[in-house]
Amino acid sequence: MNAAQLPPVAPEVTATLVEGLSPRLRKRLDAAVTKLAARPTHRDGDTTTIEVDDETELRLHAPGGVVAKAEDITCGCLLAPACVHRAAAACAAPAADLAPEPAEQATPEAPGPASGTAPAAVGPGAARALGLNVAPTSGPDAATGVAADAAPGRAPNTAPDAATPHETASPDQRAAADALWSAGAAVLEAGVDGAGAVTQSALLRAAHTARLRHLPRAAGAALSVVTLLRAARSGNPSYRTAELVTALAELLGTAHRVGTASGAELAAVRGRVRRPYSPDGSLRLYGLFTEPVVTDSGHGGVRTWVAGADGRLFTVGDVAPGGAGRALGVADRAVRLGDSALTHRELGRAGLAVSGATVSPDGRLGAGKAVKAVTARGAAWTEPPLAALWGTPPAEQAARALRSTSRYADPDGTGSDLLFLDVELLGAIREPGGACLLAQCEGGVRVRLTVADDDPALAHRDNLALLAAAPGTRLRIIGRLIPATHPRLTLLACTHPTGEGTVDLGLDRLRRADLPDPSAPAHFAPPQPAGPGGPSPLYLLERRVEQTVPAGRAALGLLSDVTAETRRIRRGGLPTAAALLTALCASAAQRDRDLFGRLLPADTDGFAAYWLAAARYTAAVSESLCAAAWNGTEGDQVAVPPVPVHDVAG
């Protein structure tokens, strides 16, 4: 059985079933989940059946696509309804997302997807973080979920979007935030290996309570942690520890800030249940490029970027289950926006005149019935208004993109992570993970250009290899910022090497005949020396932060003396990082004893506070190093303002 075969289950349903188990059955729950995953499953309409054994069947009834009540999970065994099978099925199924998208953003294949702050570990959540329109087909995907408001028994969307200047969180909201903090701290205490179904159910219960108390941002973060924990424990190849670090830090940081925020900060901490689409009148749009989108969960499609006459960026997307094959096919389908007959490829080079437009804060164009759009003339990248996008200095563009991609920024949905650069190609350079293309842009800044997707069905890698054979070629490019200690982009589109037209590097394939010297082999640029300051020792703290997540607090508690590491960090000009590492490891190892010499419970809250401070600090320093690199100070010592160890709010 694959989790994707099961319908999403409401978080409160899973929590209720787990809480109803006896202590003996709770100990058997993780084994029951694993055993149930190996059993055959089939679906008939709204009902999914799991064959527990030759004589017993377990049924999940999902009217509207989601299991919304505990009674919707039934088992035929003798111990039902108090058996472990019902809870195991709920824990094996994906958690239903709490924050649905507006209906107008749905693609025709299926109802609108879920969104919000709950990223899926294996693709759709990451796609939503990029502003994609991920739409499930019949039979919801494991990581996609369904529209929560469509399910009976769910809380209506009554959360306020704004707060008065002096408004603070209510006692109920503080209590819900405290429960989220405790559940997140328990995950850090146990680590991935110890955070089984019981620990996850506590997170789901806290998420449900937070949703009812109008804290959708924190609730979504809790669901993200659960989804990532399940991916990690199931051995999903797309799982990344860094993603769980970010999700846990978002959960703990948001829960902490609920009790201290007020006014506009409180509104940001509470978040939004829905991503609002607001009317934007009439728009004159000019196509920029189209990028294929392929997620780890098997979703595929495209996203077309367009710019308004005032330079604002907008997107039109079409992503649904289907992988790379669907991405290539959708590129030649008509854009579903008004009466336009343009395909996505064509829109990337043409224009649109739109009336009655609706736009989300992150620039996605709504496709409601009132929207009217007709084809119009496009503009070359060297013509106004598009030419102005390349007129901003690279350092300013990188700073704007960093604000958009910051891991813990308040989700206002504004900004873009795209950079528009004029570069000269220098050739390929070898890196530990393979080769990338080195280019030089304004101010002498050298930027590494990498492929956006390694899927062989897409054209990214072949095109990058061909461009490496054309050193000295000058191109106008569009890339997506990769936060790193050196300037780095994923290359998405460029002007054609011959100077005629543009190339969507994931969809269009360059040929050797397109190069200035078709016979030239790939050119490797000289190795790039490290700057005078050398590599940052920040990784010494980062690896301890990441080490905690899979192994738990005890892993750091068993460390020997970290004096050598802290000394090296201080020499690198990061005294706060050194203090954080010392405090983190000391907190992990601290275990007090009572009067009889027995060990007392560990201070999970104190350890979680130090871990959160370290996680947020490393993210802030990494972003500072990235910004410094784009300012032409790559490798130099970067002054980072000290952050108090106790300041876990970030």
Side-chain angles (χ1 to χ4, degrees):
M1 177 189 71
N2 189 309
Q5 298 175 291
L6 300 180
V9 177
E12 63 271 24
V13 171
T14 303
T16 298
L17 292 175
V18 173
E19 291 164 359
L21 295 176
S22 66
R24 179 179 64 86
L25 290 180
R26 288 190 186 189
K27 294 179 181 179
R28 296 172 49 190
L29 182 56
D30 287 328
V33 173
T34 302
K35 183 177 180 180
L36 209 62
R39 302 302 301 168
T41 303
H42 65 271
R43 176 174 294 178
D44 183 11
D46 291 335
T47 301
T48 301
T49 302
I50 306 172
E51 297 180 11
V52 178
D53 53 41
D54 294 339
E55 300 179 354
T56 306
E57 289 185 340
L58 181 67
R59 291 185 174 89
L60 290 81
H61 184 54
V66 62
V67 178
K69 297 183 295 184
E71 295 78 13
D72 289 337
I73 303 180
T74 59
C75 183
C77 74
L78 295 176
L79 296 179
C83 63
V84 74
H85 302 132
R86 298 171 68 222
C91 293
D97 204 328
L98 294 174
E101 286 286 357
E104 72 168 9
Q105 274 302 104
T107 57
E109 289 89 342
S115 76
T117 55
V122 291
R128 284 193 288 272
L130 293 173
L132 302 178
N133 178 22
V134 182
T137 58
S138 58
D141 185 75
T144 310
V146 296
D149 286 356
R154 306 305 294 276
N157 177 20
T158 57
D161 290 334
T164 58
H166 302 292
E167 181 182 353
T168 58
S170 68
D172 284 344
Q173 288 179 327
R174 291 192 182 96
D178 290 343
L180 285 168
W181 173 277
S182 297
V187 173
L188 278 179
E189 174 71 18
V192 168
D193 293 339
V198 174
T199 302
Q200 294 168 27
S201 73
L203 272 169
L204 293 173
R205 172 62 70 192
H208 175 61
T209 303
R211 167 65 184 264
L212 295 178
R213 301 293 181 263
H214 306 317
L215 298 174
R217 178 178 176 181
L223 288 191
S224 299
V225 173
V226 171
T227 303
L228 289 159
L229 282 173
R230 291 177 176 177
R233 291 173 61 86
S234 66
N236 193 304
S238 63
Y239 165 76
R240 299 292 182 271
T241 299
E243 293 182 7
L244 185 50
V245 169
T246 300
L248 267 172
E250 168 70 9
L251 169 62
L252 293 171
T254 303
H256 173 83
R257 292 173 63 193
V258 168
T260 60
S262 63
E265 183 186 0
L266 176 61
V269 170
R270 285 192 304 213
R272 297 178 184 269
V273 177
R274 291 182 179 272
R275 189 184 300 272
Y277 280 74
S278 57
D280 208 337
S282 298
L283 296 174
R284 179 65 169 89
L285 304 176
Y286 300 85
L288 280 167
F289 72 101
T290 299
E291 61 172 318
V293 178
V294 181
T295 69
D296 294 324
S297 64
H299 286 69
V302 295
R303 177 170 56 172
T304 299
W305 289 81
V306 296
D310 57 357
R312 284 189 298 161
L313 299 181
F314 304 90
T315 60
V316 181
D318 186 349
V319 181
R326 185 178 189 279
L328 295 173
V330 168
D332 294 313
R333 290 187 191 176
V335 175
R336 297 181 177 93
L337 190 67
D339 301 322
S340 171
L342 291 173
T343 67
H344 280 274
R345 284 182 191 263
E346 292 169 343
L347 176 57
R349 296 174 174 85
L352 277 180
V354 183
S355 62
T358 58
V359 184
S360 71
D362 60 356
R364 285 187 288 175
L365 292 168
K369 294 181 179 179
V371 178
K372 306 296 181 183
V374 295
T375 303
R377 190 187 75 85
W381 288 3
T382 54
E383 299 174 352
L386 298 186
L389 296 172
W390 280 264
T392 305
E396 292 184 23
Q397 294 192 52
R400 180 256 303 152
L402 273 172
R403 290 192 295 271
S404 173
T405 60
S406 178
R407 281 176 276 179
Y408 306 116
D410 289 334
D412 58 4
T414 59
S416 165
D417 56 359
L418 298 185
L419 270 70
F420 303 84
L421 305 176
D422 289 304
V423 302
E424 178 182 347
L425 302 183
L426 302 179
I429 57 171
R430 294 183 175 90
E431 294 186 321
C436 66
L437 181 59
L438 186 68
Q440 182 166 294
C441 61
E442 179 184 332
V445 175
R446 295 191 171 188
V447 55
R448 292 166 171 84
L449 306 176
T450 66
V451 295
D453 196 307
D454 276 321
D455 194 307
L458 303 177
H460 290 293
R461 182 159 294 282
D462 292 342
N463 285 336
L464 203 71
L466 277 176
L467 291 175
T473 302
R474 294 182 178 272
L475 297 176
R476 179 160 279 193
I477 67 170
I478 302 175
R480 177 168 288 115
L481 177 73
I482 301 177
T485 55
H486 53 263
R488 195 175 188 89
L489 300 176
T490 55
L491 188 57
L492 302 174
C494 69
T495 52
H496 198 281
T498 62
E500 299 180 1
T502 61
V503 181
D504 295 337
L505 290 167
L507 300 172
D508 305 326
R509 291 190 178 273
L510 292 170
R511 299 173 298 174
R512 284 206 167 269
D514 296 324
L515 303 182
D517 183 0
S519 63
H523 174 79
F524 282 88
Q528 299 301 299
S536 169
L538 184 67
Y539 78 93
L540 295 171
L541 177 59
E542 287 177 323
R543 71 176 183 178
R544 298 308 183 192
V545 169
E546 288 199 6
Q547 184 181 2
T548 307
V549 171
R553 177 193 56 79
L556 289 188
L558 295 175
L559 286 178
S560 58
D561 188 16
V562 293
T563 303
E565 293 183 14
T566 57
R567 187 183 301 117
R568 182 175 174 186
I569 293 174
R570 290 182 187 279
R571 286 201 304 265
L574 299 172
T576 303
L580 281 169
L581 179 58
T582 301
L584 180 65
C585 294
S587 177
Q590 182 179 0
R591 292 295 300 273
D592 296 330
R593 295 180 181 271
D594 62 15
L595 295 176
F596 299 98
R598 295 171 299 194
L599 282 173
L600 295 173
D603 181 11
T604 56
D605 287 344
F607 176 72
Y610 282 115
W611 181 89
L612 175 59
R616 298 293 291 265
Y617 177 83
T618 55
V621 175
S622 296
E623 291 168 8
S624 296
L625 293 172
C626 179
W630 281 94
N631 276 293
T633 56
E634 179 180 358
D636 291 347
Q637 297 280 353
V638 178
V640 179
V643 177
V645 172
H646 65 273
D647 184 10
V648 299

